[in-house]
Amino acid sequence: MISQPDVIVVGSGGLGAATAFHLVKRGVKHVALIDKHDIGSQTSPRAAGMVSCVRKSELMIKLIKLAVEKIKRFTEDTGQPLDWVHSGSLKVARRDQDAEVIESDITRGRHLGLDVERISPQDAHRLNPFLEPEGVVAVMRVGDDMYFDPSQIAVGFARGAEARGATLLPHTAVTRVLIDNGRVTGVDTDKGTIRAPIVVDAAGAWTRQVAEASGIRVPLVPTAQQLFVTEPVEGAKTDLPIVRIMDAAVYMRPCNGGLLWGVYEEHPRFFDMNALGEEFQIRDMPLDASVLWHYADDVKPQLPILLKAKVREHRGGIPTITADGQHIVGPTPAVRGFFFASGCNVAGLSISPALGETLAAWIVDGAPPVDLTPLTVARFGTGPWSEEQLRQQAAWQYRHFYGAV
Ligand SMILES: Cc1cc2nc3c(=O)[nH]c(=O)nc-3n(C[C@H](O)[C@H](O)[C@H](O)COP(=O)(O)OP(=O)(O)OC[C@H]3O[C@@H](n4cnc5c(N)ncnc54)[C@H](O)[C@@H]3O)c2cc1C
């Protein structure tokens, strides 16, 4: 067991591993990356691995552009493999009100240097022949979007951190963050106490559990998200653009000769991680194929392939959703030395390279290079928050991820 690291990062998913990697890259000598399970084994490897560059705020577009650059040079930076494809994407409106959202997406995107344009449904069909023009009102082509292999990011960052001197502690559960006089002093684990002046809570679905064990509240909701990967399908070329149907909140991208697709359903399943017990792992999450089939039927006129292609894999994970759909990153005013890297809102893996780098700089320099104040937990005030209201707002954010009105 490492005796006295400079920083403890709890959780080796995309967000924690990226933070640990960038901490050692910035010269922090003793970083401990702790995980109660295998390194990078929980929600991160189960993601779809898509990058969406058209975000709702200037800050998020800045961060995701930085993430795209870092994904492209991931292997150079970390020495670890990462397969990625610069595919672009097609955002599809089936209703006039969503076409208006596309217009404002294009204005904002262009202003911030993104390669975005409105194209006809027929041109969209030419770019991705699985997308039928029937019932399509407007399409935005986003040239900057891409996808990557989700199983490689967290493990890659963790191994890259280890190669630069970080200590990885898998199968070690943090049971409590130690606080003395409003200051972090370390953590208790199931294998003993580790002292450190800085702790980053990047425990994914368990973020709240880790924080609340020490009386720190954080308003986010662990939420199910699942997808199908199909058997190989003729014509599913690697570089076909990702398709996103706004009002149905359905996404589809190429995957190993087949297609990968999923949905942000209207009535998401939320979890209380305490109720699931200590042994629970993300792979134990019950899956529900009927949800996916329901939405395949909804988008049948535009994506008929979804009902036809044979399913090879059904997987899911538990991302964390916040009341305003923004991540929770940075220090908590309640306790000095305690930072969050969570509230992924089903988009945490793609942005993890940028959030990890920015948070590491914040920890080392005392201020982030990009102002991340809008992402800190302080924006929610001191609570108490009503769980019911939080879940209602989180459900809305989840379902409206593509900006449909
Ligand atoms: C089906 C699906 C599709 C998705 N699609 C995309 C996408 O296209 N693009 C995108 O960017 N994102 C996507 N996501 C979201 C993405 O997976 C998450 O945003 C990201 O993986 C979150 O990473 P994390 O580090 O917060 O969580 P995790 O990967 O779950 O890591 C948290 C880690 O903390 C550890 N931990 C928890 N409690 C403790 C403790 N007490 N002590 C020690 N360790 C602990 C866990 O074991 C775990 O390894 C998708 C998710 C799913 C499920």
Side-chain angles (χ1 to χ4, degrees):
M1 183 83 90
I2 186 169
S3 63
Q4 209 146 0
D6 303 305
V7 183
I8 291 170
V9 180
V10 186
S12 66
L15 290 168
T19 305
F21 174 79
H22 288 98
L23 283 166
V24 285
K25 197 171 171 213
R26 287 187 71 97
V28 180
K29 282 222 168 64
H30 304 292
V31 174
L33 179 59
I34 305 183
D35 204 293
K36 64 177 176 177
H37 297 301
D38 283 333
I39 296 297
S41 64
Q42 298 302 301
T43 289
S44 292
R46 293 174 169 81
M50 299 177 301
V51 182
S52 172
C53 290
V54 178
R55 297 295 179 91
K56 291 170 192 159
S57 72
E58 185 169 340
L59 170 63
M60 290 311 299
I61 292 180
K62 252 191 200 166
L63 288 169
I64 198 71
K65 281 172 78 175
L66 172 62
V68 164
E69 279 170 36
K70 291 177 69 63
I71 287 169
K72 289 183 175 173
R73 46 166 223 267
F74 187 86
T75 299
E76 211 177 312
D77 279 358
T78 63
Q80 303 297 315
L82 179 63
D83 299 322
W84 53 267
V85 179
H86 191 157
S87 59
S89 76
L90 302 169
K91 187 168 172 180
V92 177
R94 302 191 296 182
R95 308 178 305 183
D96 291 339
Q97 63 266 43
D98 296 331
E100 282 172 29
V101 173
I102 279 187
E103 284 308 320
S104 68
D105 278 349
I106 290 174
T107 309
R108 189 171 63 257
R110 284 212 176 120
H111 174 66
L112 294 165
L114 293 177
D115 171 20
V116 284
E117 63 172 345
R118 186 161 171 171
I119 61 172
S120 70
Q122 288 70 24
D123 282 346
H125 173 71
R126 274 189 278 280
L127 289 173
N128 188 331
F130 291 113
L131 173 64
E132 297 296 339
E134 191 190 330
V136 173
V137 173
V139 181
M140 172 172 67
R141 184 191 65 79
V142 184
D144 311 82
D145 283 356
M146 62 188 300
Y147 68 89
F148 56 84
D149 181 343
S151 69
Q152 294 174 313
I153 288 242
V155 170
F157 272 132
R159 296 282 168 235
E162 186 180 35
R164 288 165 183 259
T167 302
L168 308 191
L169 296 171
H171 305 287
T172 306
V174 169
T175 51
R176 196 161 63 110
V177 179
L178 303 171
I179 298 161
D180 186 18
N181 255 334
R183 229 249 80 106
V184 160
T185 59
V187 296
D188 273 345
T189 78
D190 57 354
K191 293 186 178 152
T193 298
I194 308 175
R195 297 275 165 201
I198 293 169
V199 170
V200 180
D201 181 353
W206 296 267
T207 301
R208 252 172 99 161
Q209 206 178 35
V210 168
E212 286 179 2
S214 304
I216 303 165
R217 294 208 59 203
V218 55
L220 46 78
V221 196
T223 307
Q225 159 81 193
Q226 44 175 354
L227 56 79
F228 280 154
V229 180
T230 75
E231 295 284 0
V233 171
E234 205 186 326
K237 290 186 296 165
T238 314
D239 59 352
L240 288 183
I242 298 163
V243 175
R244 301 185 171 100
I245 312 274
M246 291 174 72
D247 62 305
V250 167
Y251 57 82
M252 182 191 83
R253 72 152 169 97
C255 182
N256 300 330
L259 298 163
L260 173 159
W261 66 276
V263 62
Y264 301 80
E265 67 265 34
E266 190 156 8
H267 302 291
R269 268 184 303 153
F270 296 131
F271 295 99
D272 170 357
M273 300 310 285
N274 285 321
L276 296 175
E278 272 176 32
E279 299 305 312
F280 177 84
Q281 296 211 33
I282 297 295
R283 66 174 180 222
D284 304 327
M285 187 188 91
L287 298 169
D288 181 0
S290 68
V291 171
L292 289 155
W293 291 127
H294 169 79
Y295 286 97
D297 203 50
D298 182 337
V299 300
K300 186 176 164 194
Q302 294 76 42
L303 296 173
I305 186 68
L306 301 189
L307 284 173
K308 290 184 202 150
K310 225 170 136 203
V311 175
R312 177 166 61 78
E313 184 189 355
H314 182 192
R315 68 175 189 242
I318 310 189
T320 49
I321 315 298
T322 62
D324 60 4
Q326 301 292 324
H327 307 301
I328 298 182
V329 181
T332 164
V335 180
R336 274 170 295 141
F338 191 91
F339 292 74
F340 284 111
S342 192
C344 77
N345 291 287
V346 206
L349 197 59
S350 50
I351 205 157
S352 63
L355 290 184
E357 181 173 65
T358 313
L359 182 57
W362 199 343
I363 291 168
V364 173
D365 302 336
V370 183
D371 181 11
L372 290 192
T373 318
L375 301 187
T376 62
V377 70
R379 72 186 186 271
F380 298 109
T382 50
W385 306 284
S386 135
E387 187 67 26
E388 197 192 324
Q389 196 183 1
L390 171 59
R391 287 183 176 215
Q392 268 171 19
Q393 290 170 338
W396 192 93
Q397 294 296 342
Y398 179 83
R399 175 70 179 155
H400 293 83
F401 186 71
Y402 294 145
V405 278

